[in-house]
Each structure stands twice: as C-alpha cells, then as structure tokens.
Amino acid sequence: MNILGIESSCDETSIAILKDDDVKANLISSQLFHKDFGGVVPELSSRAHLQQIIPLIKKAVDESKISLEEIDVITATAGPGLIGALLVGLTFGKSLALALNKPFVPVNHIEGHIFSGFLMEEKPEYPFLCTVASGGHTLLLLVKSDFEIIKLGSTIDDAIGEAFDKVSKMIGLGYPGGPLIQEYAEHGDEESIKFPIAKCKNKYDFSFSGLKTAVLRYIQKNHKEEFNDTEKSNIAASFQKAATEAIIQKVRLAINENKVKSLTLVGGVAANKKLRNGFIELGKTNNIKVIMPKIEYCGDNAAMIAFRGMQYHKAGKKFNLSSNAYPSLPTSKAGNAFDVLG
Ligand code: KG4
Ligand code: ZN
C-alpha cells in the first residue's frame, strides 16, 4: 500500500510517501525565518506552507519513484496546531483525494508522534510506555494496542520544549531553544546551579513553569548586561539536567508500576542527547527495549502522519471530505480523538 502524508501543523512543511511502513520519501522544509521574530509567527507560517507544499510533493514523487496515481491513501494532519497552518495542508490533502478519487484520513499530530517509533527498523512491542516530549506537549502514555492509549500523566503548565525555548531566550541564545541549550550545555557544568524538579498531585504529571521561574530568578539575582559563554553554558547545562531528570523520574516510576515491553521517546525534544542517554540507561537497568526515532522522525514530519493514517485506514475507519481542522485535540484516547475528526 502506498500512502501520502502531509504535515503542516506548525513551522515545518513536510511531505512523505510510504510503501507500508517503509519510508520512500520524507521531505521536511523548516521555516527558519521565524528565528528573527523569536518564535513562530502564525500568518507567516501559513504563507510558507502554501509556497512549499506543491514543490515538496513533486520532489517526494521524484525521490520515491511512486507517482500520485499510484498512491492508495492520502493523509494529512488535522490538529492540534496553528489553525491557518493546518488548513493549508488539510485542504490540499482533501483536494488531492477528491481529484485522485482516493480515500482521505485526517490524522491527530500527537498520535503521529506516539506511533513514530514504528518507522524504525526495530519496532516497539505492546504494551509500551510512550513519552511525548515536544514544543506543545509533554505526555506519559501507556499504549496497549494500535487504538488503546491510556494517559498516565501530562504537563500541568508548560510543555518541556516550551521551557527549553523560553530559557534559551532568557539567556540570550535565541530560537529554537532546544538545540541551542543542548549545544551550550555540552560545555557547561550541570552541577553548578541546583534547579528544582516539581512535585505534582498526580504522581505522573509534569510541571515546568517553576523550573522556568527558578532560572529567571537566578538570572535576575546574578543580573549582568550579558552572561559570558561559560555562564550561559552553566545555566544551560543545569537547566537541561533538571528538565530531563523530571521526565526520567516519572518514566522510572511508571516502569515500576506498569508491566511494559518497550519504552519509546518521541517528539521534538526526543532529539535531546541527555534525555536519550537517560532512556538508554532506563532500558538497560530494567531490561526493556528502548525505541527512539532517528532525529528526522523526532521533530515534525509527514512520515509519522502517513504511518498513523495507514493504521486507521487498515483498521477500516472511514472519513469523509468534510472533516475539519482542530487547534486542540484530546489525546487521552485515540479513538475518542477520532470521533471528533470523523
Ligand atoms: O515536536 P516538535 O518538532 O514540534 C511540536 O509539535 O511541538 O517539537 C519542537 C520542540 C521545540 O521546543 C524545540 O526547541 C525542541 O522540540 N527541541 C529540542 C531539541 N531539538 C528540538 N529540545 C531539546 N533538545 C534538542 N536537541
Ligand atoms: Zn510535533
């Protein structure tokens, strides 16, 4: 089965073509110009998707050597995300499905991330614990089967990626913050500043706003015109340690309390080396298989959307072409999310 995936929920335009779970093309165009504004500007994002989407389709067809006529299913992200950005990809996908007379599957972006581990050669085994660490979400999930997802915990305030981005801005590293914090942290002493790890009412929930405030207080207390590179690196390393340890602690607890066969780490922050090393360590200590998608599948990409859409299609779920776009979508139960989409 040939599946076309379209992703346009935020600042990456991506087109993928899969032959079952084999990724034949996964093209990603990142809108780097947002860095001049210190964050994603929604209207500029929509306009960039509009410009990029058709050239990317053409490239994906060339690269995969699969023509549009040979595509069996068309999938596109329907939410959550920036509404204008979503509308570009979704409208394009539905129009293509109409023109080619092929079925269309709207996909929940977060579900795309959750199942992105299946794009790797070594696949997760059910039941698995999935940590979604992205710019908009931080979730700890028990995934029992393709359509049974139990939410154990989530952030009660900021997402972990958002905290990376905000701290990066505070210490003057710029946007996107995650990769820059990681880079500076490599030269810093992570023991130099003790930042707190929040405790939440629900033992599996996360909170990153206290950590962000602690970094802000530290900056105000040690206020200078600008920190030198060593100071920036020490703040970055100490913050990164607290932020990643906050995730590791909850996953460790969840492993002890739930019988699982695999651990997966997905979403943009899954690119973080310190977090990845923490997961490898957890896998070794508990003798559990750890699946972390390669970097190309951690951030936003259309391969994960095509894969998730294919799971719905193969399960016989049908969607009509009047489906809508959703800025926010529930993820506690995938089936429920799709009742909304259908
Ligand atoms: O999943 P994603 O591409 O977009 C959303 O759906 O949110 O995640 C983007 C987030 C951003 O906050 C970015 O700073 C973060 O992922 N990120 C990282 C790293 N690479 C990207 N955070 C920490 N370390 C990284 N290496
Ligand atoms: Zn994402």
Side-chain angles (χ1 to χ4, degrees):
M1 182 183 287
N2 296 324
I3 314 107
L4 175 78
I6 303 167
E7 158 62 31
S8 73
S9 66
C10 191
D11 56 349
E12 257 95 28
T13 316
S14 181
I15 300 290
I17 297 180
L18 270 60
K19 195 170 196 64
D20 298 311
D21 58 4
D22 190 9
V23 181
K24 296 293 181 190
N26 184 39
L27 299 166
I28 303 166
S29 165
S30 296
Q31 303 171 2
L32 300 174
F33 58 80
H34 292 296
K35 72 175 186 316
D36 297 340
F37 304 91
V40 179
V41 183
E43 188 187 325
L44 296 184
S45 163
S46 310
R47 289 177 183 277
H49 288 307
L50 203 55
Q51 283 179 316
Q52 287 298 321
I53 210 157
I54 290 180
L56 282 182
I57 287 265
K58 287 185 175 164
K59 267 196 207 163
V61 165
D62 281 352
E63 209 171 275
S64 64
K65 301 193 174 51
I66 295 171
S67 69
L68 287 180
E69 289 68 31
E70 291 171 298
I71 298 285
D72 300 297
V73 193
I74 294 165
T75 70
T77 304
L82 300 169
I83 192 70
L86 289 167
L87 288 174
V88 176
L90 194 63
T91 309
F92 180 71
K94 292 205 289 184
S95 309
L96 201 57
L98 180 70
L100 296 170
N101 196 23
K102 294 288 154 76
F104 177 75
V105 181
V107 175
N108 181 326
H109 178 85
I110 302 303
E111 291 184 27
H113 278 301
I114 295 168
F115 293 88
S116 60
F118 288 95
L119 296 171
M120 302 300 288
E121 209 159 297
E122 194 180 13
K123 319 269 179 222
E125 266 181 84
Y126 294 118
F128 64 87
L129 266 183
C130 175
T131 304
V132 182
S134 78
H137 295 84
T138 312
L139 296 161
L140 185 55
L141 308 160
L142 179 62
V143 187
K144 293 184 155 179
S145 70
D146 289 359
F147 299 100
E148 248 183 310
I149 306 170
I150 313 248
K151 185 163 88 179
L152 300 178
S154 62
T155 180
I156 56 166
D157 39 57
D158 293 348
I160 182 168
E162 205 179 336
F164 268 87
D165 293 336
K166 283 182 182 159
V167 168
S168 173
K169 221 173 178 173
M170 281 182 213
I171 56 176
L173 302 185
Y175 175 89
L180 288 165
I181 292 265
Q182 174 172 298
E183 202 183 308
Y184 273 76
E186 273 167 25
H187 310 288
D189 174 7
E190 61 178 22
E191 305 297 339
S192 58
I193 312 158
K194 294 269 170 283
F195 288 129
I197 296 177
K199 285 206 170 65
C200 301
K201 234 180 178 176
N202 167 8
K203 61 187 173 186
Y204 291 130
D205 276 349
F206 307 95
S207 163
F208 292 99
S209 82
L211 172 58
K212 191 184 66 191
T213 310
V215 177
L216 184 64
R217 289 231 179 87
Y218 177 88
I219 293 171
Q220 286 166 342
K221 217 170 119 196
N222 299 278
H223 182 72
K224 280 194 207 155
E225 283 284 290
E226 204 189 340
F227 289 107
N228 65 32
D229 276 356
T230 310
E231 289 164 327
K232 285 181 185 175
S233 296
N234 285 342
I235 299 173
S238 305
F239 160 76
Q240 181 179 258
K241 182 179 185 229
T244 54
E245 189 51 38
I247 303 268
I248 299 290
Q249 279 183 2
K250 302 294 159 82
V251 178
R252 192 180 291 126
L253 183 67
I255 294 173
N256 291 338
E257 296 188 350
N258 298 273
K259 254 194 154 3
V260 290
K261 291 201 171 141
S262 321
L263 286 185
T264 66
L265 172 65
V266 301
V269 186
N272 186 271
K273 283 187 209 152
K274 176 136 182 100
L275 193 55
R276 290 175 93 88
N277 288 339
F279 270 73
I280 292 170
E281 210 46 56
L282 278 176
K284 272 191 200 148
T285 336
N286 295 283
N287 205 14
I288 302 178
K289 181 156 91 167
V290 180
I291 311 288
M292 295 182 283
K294 60 178 178 178
I295 306 299
E296 179 188 344
Y297 303 141
C298 285
D300 293 344
N301 69 89
M304 67 181 192
I305 301 302
F307 181 84
R308 186 59 179 155
M310 176 183 69
Q311 287 184 314
Y312 274 92
H313 183 74
K314 285 193 170 166
K317 306 233 176 189
K318 301 258 183 293
F319 302 91
N320 63 42
L321 289 177
S322 57
S323 60
N324 217 326
Y326 300 87
S328 59
L329 266 179
T331 33
S332 58
K333 272 205 164 178
N336 284 352
F338 269 81
D339 290 344
V340 181
L341 289 181

